[in-house]
Amino acid sequence: MPLASDARFVPCKAFTDQKMGTAGLRKKVRVLAQPHYLEMFLQAVFESLRLPKGATLVVGGDGRFHNDVAVQVILRMAMAAGVRHVIAGRGGLLSTPAASCLIRERRADGGFLLTASHNPGGPDGDFGIKFNTASGGQAPAQLTDAIYSASCRLIGYRICDTAPFDLQRIGTSDRDGFTIEVVDPVAAYEQTMQQLFDFDLLRNWLRNGHRIAFEAMHGVTGPYAQRILVDSLGASAGDIWHADPRPDFGGLHPDPNPVDAHALVDLCTAADAPDLAAASDGDGDRNMILAHRFLLSPGDSIAMILANADCVPGFRNGISGVARSMPTSRALDAVAAALGISCYETPTGWRYFCNLLESGRIDLCGEESFGTGSSHAREKDGLWAVLCWMSVLAKRNESLPAIATAHWRRYGRHYYQRHDYEIDDAAAGEAVVAGLRDRVPAMPGTRCGGAQIAQADDFHYRDPVDGSESARQGIRVIIDGGRRIVYRLSGTGTTGATLRVYLEQHEMRPERLNDDPDRVLAPLGTLARETADIERVTGLGAPSTRI
Ligand code: G1P
Ligand code: ZN
């Protein structure tokens, strides 16, 4: 172990803005890279953790700007905190799901994940850090609260002065009793995928003339897609786009949605579109699934994976239950009900699924924000979702649109969209939600868009595993006839406020199953804007984006 004298105490004033949101601590690079900022956050984490003596941690990130600097700081502070062993991805890279799997597999005491997910990178972009516990999942609210209060009262941090660690060479080295193990970021993850999927089936599907295109958006998944889809399964290398991770994501906004990954959408309008097209985000936990002239909504994706779980070997023992975040469409509930399994509704943020996964209550979960995952990890997993869909297509030997249409005929279609209002003034965003909150108690029974409001509330969650309560998780307005509007403020933005308005409309009529979601949901979008008085309070007469 390093001698106490090796670790230096650096006095510093506290930073009081280090509260982790739905996905860790996320800030502009210029904030997180200011002197002592990251160090003080790490000190707050180490003080709150009370790690066992000789602890092991996993470290890696999505390769965005500042990733390299931050990894070295983490190593020097881990040394000062008495950590014995750190497992790092080569080049400081690990996708978020791969890091989660690695923590679990190596029985580490936790890990630091460096990412701001799909937020832009580069010196003017965002950076982020989160701590995942030994379960592989994000720190629970009690721990993030403890870290936040520690960060507010700290008077300095401890760090070892030592030369930079070489993270390019795979292997284990020792420095003063501190072991740094550099691993191939893909190897262990690929092994896990081999256990969950029938690689021979997928290989044959591609060999028989089917095609997959994958948009890595210069995020961390490029090397994962290259190794698994190309080297192992035989996809064509030219069909993996933007496969090299770059600190600024090549100027792309690495978010797998139809707006930011429009090139993939364009590819899918061509006559020779691939059978399956997919994109992932900066840190590899999100996924978007497309096919010829077809975009699969994330809520439908998880519902259809459940309905086709017999195509995925990882689900060979069945699915105990499923969960979705509250704003996610209720398409999943319909399939769960038909199968007679529980469907849990949780607040937004993957961390709420973790207790359910850990306790064995669920094996599959997802969010409308292009996140899908299973009990193999405690994070959502983009490439896993892509392999699920390849498996369903290969096993059923049908096209994605054909599978979706058959699904809707049976369960009806949950037309779904999210309208985001980017509001410069954060207070105006708060005011919209506060106004709604005041009106919610009087809403049930009143008329709305020609129908009656059946239920309106501010979602309150009680965790069925540990009983913890999470209040004010979003306003939901349920309208008779299968319509629903949900309002909440984003917890991941770094400037102003983003008001998210989620629209859902259930349709059973067979002749209305293949309509344009924009057209179907336009009236509900207007109704949502009027009900919340968005234009008067924010000045915005239309959403900034419709996803
Ligand atoms: C967004 C998504 C949410 C997801 C989170 C982290 O959070 O909406 O589903 O868990 O990113 O990836 P939000 O900005 O809405 O708080
Ligand atoms: Zn992400």
Side-chain angles (χ1 to χ4, degrees):
M1 298 300 295
L3 302 172
S5 58
D6 292 334
R8 185 160 55 93
F9 179 78
V10 182
C12 181
K13 68 167 179 48
F15 293 94
T16 53
D17 63 342
Q18 299 191 332
K19 195 160 180 55
M20 286 198 257
T22 39
L25 183 69
R26 213 170 269 190
K27 299 280 172 191
K28 289 273 165 224
V29 166
R30 62 171 179 275
V31 174
L32 227 141
Q34 66 185 295
H36 312 305
Y37 191 93
L38 176 63
E39 289 84 343
M40 289 293 274
F41 176 73
L42 291 168
Q43 186 67 38
V45 175
F46 284 124
E47 293 206 1
S48 311
L49 282 180
R50 301 206 174 83
L51 287 171
K53 261 200 161 8
T56 297
L57 294 179
V58 165
V59 177
D62 62 12
R64 65 178 58 230
F65 186 83
H66 205 58
N67 192 121
D68 48 354
V69 176
V71 172
Q72 297 289 341
V73 172
I74 292 171
L75 292 173
R76 291 164 55 208
M77 286 192 61
M79 231 176 152
V83 171
R84 175 74 57 82
H85 183 180
V86 171
I87 304 166
R90 183 177 47 205
L93 295 183
L94 277 176
S95 78
T96 291
S100 177
C101 290
L102 202 57
I103 293 170
R104 293 171 67 75
E105 212 180 280
R106 299 292 303 269
R107 297 181 189 282
D109 298 287
F112 287 104
L113 281 64
L114 303 170
T115 174
S117 188
H118 54 287
N119 292 19
D124 298 323
D126 291 344
F127 194 76
I129 177 164
K130 56 186 186 182
F131 181 81
N132 283 25
T133 62
S135 71
Q138 287 174 46
Q142 305 89 297
L143 181 55
T144 56
D145 288 348
I147 294 169
Y148 176 58
S149 40
S151 76
C152 294
R153 58 164 197 265
L154 285 181
I155 53 162
Y157 59 91
R158 285 166 61 77
I159 190 162
C160 283
D161 288 321
T162 185
F165 294 87
D166 176 7
L167 297 179
Q168 295 307 329
R169 206 159 345 116
I170 289 177
T172 301
S173 58
D174 190 89
R175 193 180 289 183
D176 301 331
F178 176 76
T179 303
I180 169 91
E181 180 183 347
V182 179
V183 299
D184 173 348
V186 185
Y189 178 80
E190 183 177 13
Q191 272 173 20
T192 304
M193 293 303 115
Q194 280 167 348
Q195 286 156 18
L196 300 176
F197 298 100
D198 179 351
F199 271 34
D200 286 333
L201 173 80
L202 306 183
R203 220 174 267 131
N204 283 333
W205 184 71
L206 289 169
R207 200 178 290 141
N208 291 339
H210 295 101
R211 183 178 154 219
I212 179 170
F214 184 83
E215 164 66 285
M217 306 189 94
H218 289 306
V220 76
T221 31
Y224 293 81
Q226 173 67 37
R227 187 84 62 80
I228 296 172
L229 299 179
V230 178
D231 302 348
S232 281
L233 299 178
S236 150
D239 280 333
I240 312 295
W241 296 4
H242 306 116
D244 53 318
R246 294 192 191 173
D248 65 348
F249 304 116
L252 298 174
H253 185 188
D255 195 0
N257 66 59
V259 178
D260 294 302
H262 58 88
L264 202 63
V265 179
D266 294 347
L267 175 79
C268 288
T269 58
D272 61 346
D275 301 275
L276 182 64
S280 193
D281 67 333
D283 64 326
D285 57 357
R286 295 186 175 202
N287 74 93
M288 176 174 69
I289 301 290
L290 303 153
H292 186 216
R293 294 187 181 282
F294 187 83
L295 165 69
L296 185 62
S297 118
D300 276 348
S301 176
I302 177 174
M304 292 177 196
I305 290 175
L306 175 61
N308 292 284
D310 57 336
C311 302
V312 179
F315 292 134
R316 60 177 76 79
N317 296 328
I319 291 187
S320 57
V322 293
R324 60 166 173 81
S325 68
M326 181 274 281
T328 302
S329 96
R330 294 166 293 173
L332 182 64
D333 307 38
V335 182
L339 294 173
I341 61 172
S342 304
C343 179
Y344 297 85
E345 187 175 38
T346 60
T348 294
W350 204 261
R351 72 152 87 120
Y352 293 98
F353 294 136
C354 290
N355 274 352
L356 300 172
L357 289 163
E358 205 63 28
S359 67
R361 282 175 169 75
I362 62 166
D363 288 301
L364 175 68
C365 47
E367 295 191 282
E368 52 67 42
S369 52
F370 299 87
T372 329
S374 89
S375 33
H376 72 282
R378 294 295 175 271
E379 293 277 6
K380 54 196 176 233
D381 189 342
L383 211 46
W384 171 85
V386 175
L387 293 170
C388 270
W389 272 107
M390 272 179 92
S391 305
V392 174
L393 299 189
K395 196 85 184 181
R396 287 188 52 166
N397 202 20
E398 284 174 86
S399 74
L400 177 53
I403 291 170
T405 303
H407 186 96
W408 294 332
R409 284 219 181 89
R410 173 158 182 202
Y411 297 100
R413 179 172 179 183
H414 290 78
Y415 282 99
Y416 190 86
Q417 254 182 11
R418 189 180 88 196
H419 291 185
D420 287 344
Y421 292 80
E422 304 294 348
I423 307 166
D424 293 337
D425 175 14
E430 302 279 354
V432 173
V433 175
L436 274 167
R437 206 167 266 143
D438 288 345
R439 294 202 291 283
V440 147
M443 279 185 185
T446 59
R447 306 289 294 172
C448 181
Q452 187 161 299
I453 296 180
Q455 190 194 333
D457 64 1
D458 192 350
F459 181 53
H460 185 105
Y461 181 64
R462 185 169 191 280
D463 187 303
V465 182
D466 63 18
S468 59
E469 314 255 340
S470 305
R472 301 186 153 195
Q473 294 296 319
I475 311 286
R476 38 179 193 182
V477 180
I478 298 174
I479 307 166
D480 282 341
R483 285 183 293 168
R484 185 180 73 153
I485 308 170
V486 172
Y487 303 87
R488 61 177 282 280
L489 290 173
S490 158
T492 58
T494 51
T495 42
T498 303
L499 174 69
R500 303 206 194 280
V501 181
Y502 308 85
L503 309 172
E504 178 184 340
Q505 184 163 327
H506 189 226
E507 177 61 68
M508 280 305 289
R509 290 170 294 178
E511 71 281 11
R512 305 317 300 263
L513 295 177
N514 283 297
D515 287 348
D516 172 13
D518 266 340
R519 213 175 45 74
V520 172
L521 293 167
L524 191 58
T526 306
L527 195 62
R529 188 162 53 249
E530 289 168 1
T531 304
D533 226 358
I534 294 175
E535 185 161 3
R536 192 184 57 78
V537 182
T538 70
L540 297 173
S544 320
T545 47
R546 290 185 181 82
I547 290 174

